[in-house]
Amino acid sequence: MLILGIESSCDETGVALYRSDDGGRLLAHALHSQVAMHEAYGGVVPELASRDHIRRISPLLRQALAQSGCSLGEIDAIAYTQGPGLAGALLVGAAFAESLAMALGVPSVPVHHLEGHLLSPLLSRTPPRFPFVALLVSGGHTQLMRVDGVGRYTLLGETLDDAAGEAFDKTAKLLGLGYPGGPALSALAEKGTPGVFRLPRPMLNSGDLDFSFSGLKTAVLVQVRELGGESALTETQRADIAQAFQAAIVEVLVKKSSAALRLAGLDQLVVAGGVGANRELRRQLDARAKKTGATVYYPEFEFCTDNGAMIALAGALRLQAGTPGKAAGSFAIRPRWPLADLVA
């Protein structure tokens, strides 16, 4: 089958074509990021995001079709992000997908955005095997899941407040960094000196697999105030605080992920979501895995952020697992949709 995937949950418009036969292969994917547009506002403006999805989605589809050499008539099913995400942004992708599916007479496959991230490492040249433990770590979510198959997920632990990516963005703002803050803070952290500042490791020894990062953000705020405020910070101090912040988050993520593998009795860890692109996190996870005999799998860097390829893949795997595609027409979006609600 030839599956069209459409992603529009937040500030990236993604379109991809995935062929599910012969082991599956990605034929094309096109992506537009709205970072430059939202930069002036210091964060995503939902109304602007929705309007930009409308402008981009058709040209991106034409681009993906041209890249793949396929035509609209060859598409067998259309997968799209149903949630979670920004309501208006989701509505653009869902309406486009359902309308196109109706016009082509093919089924539609609503997909959970986080399931797309969860399965995205399967697009890699050396994909993991079921079962595995997954660390979903992004701007809106930080969760540890046991994955036994498509739709067979068990929640092991999650953040009780801020997600790791959210903490990165808020801390970047405290340090006077631009938008998007997470990547800017990570880049600055590489210039910092370890040990100059010591920040707390929330819930590091809590005895469970849950996370909490709001207190870490507050600790940075206190440190910045003690130094005279953001405007008084030197570039060296900014870098040293960024390094201390990143080190704290990475240590917690690595320890909890290793504990999840032990609890599940598994030796494969999948890391997905935007924060999964963090180089220091990857370095330390790989180092810990080498000591314990585990293997860590990451999506390619281009598939760490939101993209249509992961949605097309999730839709294809859902169909292969026996989930029937729905008849195009009426539909609903789910801005709030816990991953644990999914069924096989």
Side-chain angles (χ1 to χ4, degrees):
M1 297 183 70
L2 180 63
I3 312 297
L4 171 64
I6 295 174
E7 156 63 22
S8 67
S9 63
C10 189
D11 59 346
E12 278 144 340
T13 315
V15 175
L17 288 163
Y18 182 87
R19 192 173 293 282
S20 61
D21 53 346
D22 299 326
R25 58 196 175 98
L26 181 64
L27 300 183
H29 78 101
L31 181 71
H32 174 76
S33 173
Q34 301 175 1
V35 166
M37 181 178 68
H38 296 296
E39 185 176 7
Y41 304 96
V44 177
V45 181
E47 176 67 18
L48 295 180
S50 302
R51 290 177 180 273
D52 199 63
H53 287 307
I54 295 172
R55 286 194 294 269
R56 306 293 179 178
I57 196 165
S58 291
L60 287 172
L61 174 58
R62 290 193 291 269
Q63 180 181 336
L65 289 170
Q67 183 181 341
S68 67
C70 298
S71 66
L72 279 176
E74 296 177 72
I75 295 172
D76 296 301
I78 301 178
Y80 65 90
T81 302
Q82 185 181 26
L86 300 175
L90 290 169
L91 189 59
V92 173
F96 184 89
E98 290 283 352
S99 300
L100 184 58
M102 180 178 289
L104 296 177
V106 299
S108 62
V109 186
V111 171
H112 193 293
H113 175 77
L114 294 183
E115 184 174 35
H117 277 303
L118 188 70
L119 301 174
S120 60
L122 297 176
L123 291 166
S124 301
R125 290 182 290 273
T126 55
R129 311 171 309 280
F130 297 118
F132 54 78
V133 169
L135 172 65
L136 284 172
V137 58
S138 66
H141 302 84
T142 300
Q143 297 175 318
L144 282 164
M145 309 285 294
R146 178 188 171 106
V147 181
D148 289 290
V150 178
R152 298 167 59 195
Y153 312 128
T154 304
L155 180 64
L156 301 177
E158 63 183 338
T159 183
L160 304 180
D161 40 58
D162 289 356
E166 183 181 5
F168 263 97
D169 289 338
K170 289 180 177 178
T171 299
K173 186 169 291 188
L174 292 175
L175 295 178
L177 304 180
Y179 172 83
L185 189 147
S186 296
L188 183 61
E190 295 181 1
K191 303 176 183 178
T193 302
V196 175
F197 297 102
R198 175 71 182 179
L199 296 175
R201 273 65 171 159
M203 299 187 70
L204 182 66
N205 300 306
S206 61
D208 56 32
L209 299 177
D210 289 331
F211 304 90
S212 173
F213 296 115
S214 63
L216 178 58
K217 173 196 64 184
T218 301
V220 173
L221 174 61
V222 171
Q223 184 65 72
V224 170
R225 285 178 175 173
E226 289 179 352
L227 294 172
E230 182 268 319
S231 60
L233 294 177
T234 66
E235 287 307 304
T236 298
Q237 288 173 328
R238 291 181 205 275
D240 291 342
I241 293 174
Q243 192 283 330
F245 171 83
Q246 178 173 270
I249 281 199
V250 167
E251 184 177 346
V252 173
L253 292 175
V254 171
K255 182 173 181 178
K256 297 275 185 173
S257 298
S258 298
L261 286 174
R262 291 195 303 271
L263 179 66
L266 300 175
D267 61 1
Q268 294 183 108
L269 176 69
V270 162
V271 182
V275 182
N278 184 279
R279 297 184 185 277
E280 181 63 15
L281 176 61
R282 290 189 175 207
R283 186 186 70 79
Q284 292 202 28
L285 282 173
D286 288 341
R288 179 66 66 91
K290 187 175 181 180
K291 292 180 181 179
T292 60
T295 305
V296 187
Y297 296 87
Y298 310 95
E300 307 296 338
F301 280 109
E302 61 185 322
F303 301 133
C304 285
T305 57
D306 300 343
N307 62 89
M310 68 182 189
I311 302 303
L313 171 66
L317 293 178
R318 278 272 165 184
L319 292 171
Q320 289 177 347
T323 302
K326 63 180 286 293
S330 63
F331 64 94
I333 57 170
R334 302 186 65 177
R336 296 182 180 275
W337 188 7
L339 182 59
D341 288 356
L342 286 185
V343 295

